[in-house]
């Protein structure tokens, strides 16, 4: 429900072992996101943004501390439960778009639905068209990713993230591979979707110029929120 706590991180620590070196990526992060929020995580390269988003997205688990999604600790979930949660509740958008090059736009957007068995064929098609319409790519549905501009590719990725009707969309530096005009258009689109649908957005950026577009800004530095 709108305004309820959707995500909570409590004193999250995460380090990566590289050979004998232990690199701290998150050093005690507390964070609370409410349903419907649009939040930017801003920090320089290596500050811990991706690690933070991976914690929230159940892609990785903390060494210590807690990650709660809708009040449930992700540490209490087994791998199957985590996969189901990721597929049903969370949409992902990446810096490099991560589209499947041999699938056309329609098929790329349909992909997350192929692992959900509760939708029939017509329902699925309706969902895909709705998502394509929302990002303004209806007439590009037969195109392959390499026939599209960077901004269009990121729109496909946004449609793919929305097609499952998630509660939360995580976008890790979604504009880093785009020129600044296109970057602002992608932020506009995400803001518009957020205001129309109340889907919660958490996106990361190292671009200070994009920050002004967002009310909720979290700054991260050396694995700590500052
Ligand atoms: P950002 O996304 O802000 O650039 P990251 O979360 O990717 O930051 O990285 C935070 C720190 O953790 C960095 O010092 C980085 O080198 C390190 N790190 C991230 N992922 C790994 C990994 N898989 N193995 C080793 N070190 C990693
Ligand atoms: Mg990163």
């Amino acid at each position: 429900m709108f305004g309820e706590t959707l995500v909570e991180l409590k004193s999250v620590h995460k380090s990566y072992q590289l050979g004998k070196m232990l690199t701290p990526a998150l050093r005690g992060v507390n964070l609370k996101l409410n349903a419907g929020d649009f939040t930017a995580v801003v920090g320089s390269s290596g500050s811990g943004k991706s690690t933070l988003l991976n914690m929230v997205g159940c892609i990785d688990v903390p060494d210590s501390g807690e990650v709660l999604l809708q009040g449930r600790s992700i540490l209490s979930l087994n791998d199957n439960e985590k996969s189901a949660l990721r597929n049903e509740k969370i949409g992902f958008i990446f810096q490099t778009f991560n589209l499947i090059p041999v699938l056309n736009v329609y098929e790329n957007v349909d992909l997350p639905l192929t692992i959900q068995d509760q939708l029939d064929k017509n329902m699925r098609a309706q969902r895909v068209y709705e998502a394509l319409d929302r990002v303004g790519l209806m007439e590009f549905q037969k195109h392959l990713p390499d026939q599209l501009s960077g901004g269009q590719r990121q729109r496909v990725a946004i449609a793919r993230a929305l097609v499952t009707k998630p509660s939360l969309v995580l976008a890790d530096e979604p504009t880093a591979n785009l020129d600044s005009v296109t970057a602002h258009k992608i932020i506009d689109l995400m803001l518009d979707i957020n205001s129309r649908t109340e889907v919660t957005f958490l996106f990361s950026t190292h671009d200070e110029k994009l920050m002004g577009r967002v009310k909720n800004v979290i700054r991260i530095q050396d694995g700590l929120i500052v």
Side-chain angles (χ1 to χ4, degrees):
M1 283 270 280
F2 185 70
E4 276 180 8
T5 302
L6 181 67
V7 178
E8 198 169 357
L9 270 61
K10 292 181 181 169
S11 191
V12 166
H13 287 78
K14 179 75 184 179
S15 296
Y16 293 102
Q17 184 97 43
L18 262 188
K20 281 188 176 164
M21 276 262 291
L22 196 63
T23 310
L26 297 177
R27 300 186 296 144
V29 167
N30 298 299
L31 176 70
K32 214 173 190 179
L33 301 178
N34 292 331
D37 280 356
F38 192 105
T39 306
V41 180
V42 183
S44 56
S45 176
S47 58
K49 302 182 296 296
S50 294
T51 306
L52 176 63
L53 265 62
N54 289 346
M55 295 292 138
V56 175
C58 304
I59 288 174
D60 211 342
V61 291
D63 298 333
S64 66
E66 266 198 292
V67 178
L68 303 166
L69 282 177
Q70 291 175 326
R72 272 184 92 186
S73 166
I74 66 157
L75 288 172
S76 71
L77 305 177
N78 65 33
D79 284 348
N80 285 341
E81 289 170 322
K82 264 186 277 188
S83 301
L85 181 78
R86 276 198 302 266
N87 180 244
E88 289 160 21
K89 298 262 191 220
I90 306 173
F92 295 91
I93 299 168
F94 305 95
Q95 176 176 346
T96 49
F97 322 130
N98 294 13
L99 302 176
I100 311 284
V102 296
L103 298 182
N104 68 30
V105 166
Y106 181 99
E107 293 161 340
N108 266 285
V109 175
D110 185 40
L111 205 56
L113 297 180
T114 60
I115 45 175
Q116 293 195 350
D117 44 17
Q118 63 270 45
L119 290 175
D120 68 30
K121 225 178 139 200
N122 286 339
M123 281 283 282
R124 249 172 70 179
Q126 199 184 319
R127 286 280 194 92
V128 175
Y129 287 127
E130 204 180 303
L132 286 175
D133 188 39
R134 174 136 349 254
V135 301
L137 284 180
M138 208 60 134
E139 64 268 46
F140 292 89
Q141 54 179 291
K142 294 275 161 54
H143 284 58
L144 291 170
D146 70 5
Q147 297 170 320
L148 302 174
S149 68
Q152 288 170 328
R153 285 182 212 187
Q154 199 56 301
R155 282 170 190 269
V156 177
I158 293 171
R160 180 183 57 188
L162 293 172
V163 78
T164 56
K165 297 194 180 291
S167 313
L168 173 67
V169 170
L170 297 173
D172 194 5
E173 304 218 36
T175 59
N177 281 14
L178 303 173
D179 64 82
S180 74
V181 172
T182 309
H184 280 279
K185 285 187 181 157
I186 290 293
I187 300 294
D188 288 338
L189 177 62
M190 295 200 300
L191 282 165
D192 180 62
I193 292 165
N194 172 254
S195 68
R196 284 169 194 269
T197 62
E198 295 177 356
V199 175
T200 309
F201 277 78
L202 179 63
F203 90 96
S204 70
T205 181
H206 64 258
D207 185 351
E208 296 279 337
K209 289 193 292 291
L210 288 175
M211 257 178 29
R213 309 295 313 279
V214 182
K215 272 199 314 249
N216 300 334
V217 176
I218 293 169
R219 287 184 172 277
I220 186 167
Q221 199 179 321
D222 299 327
L224 280 171
I225 286 173
V226 290

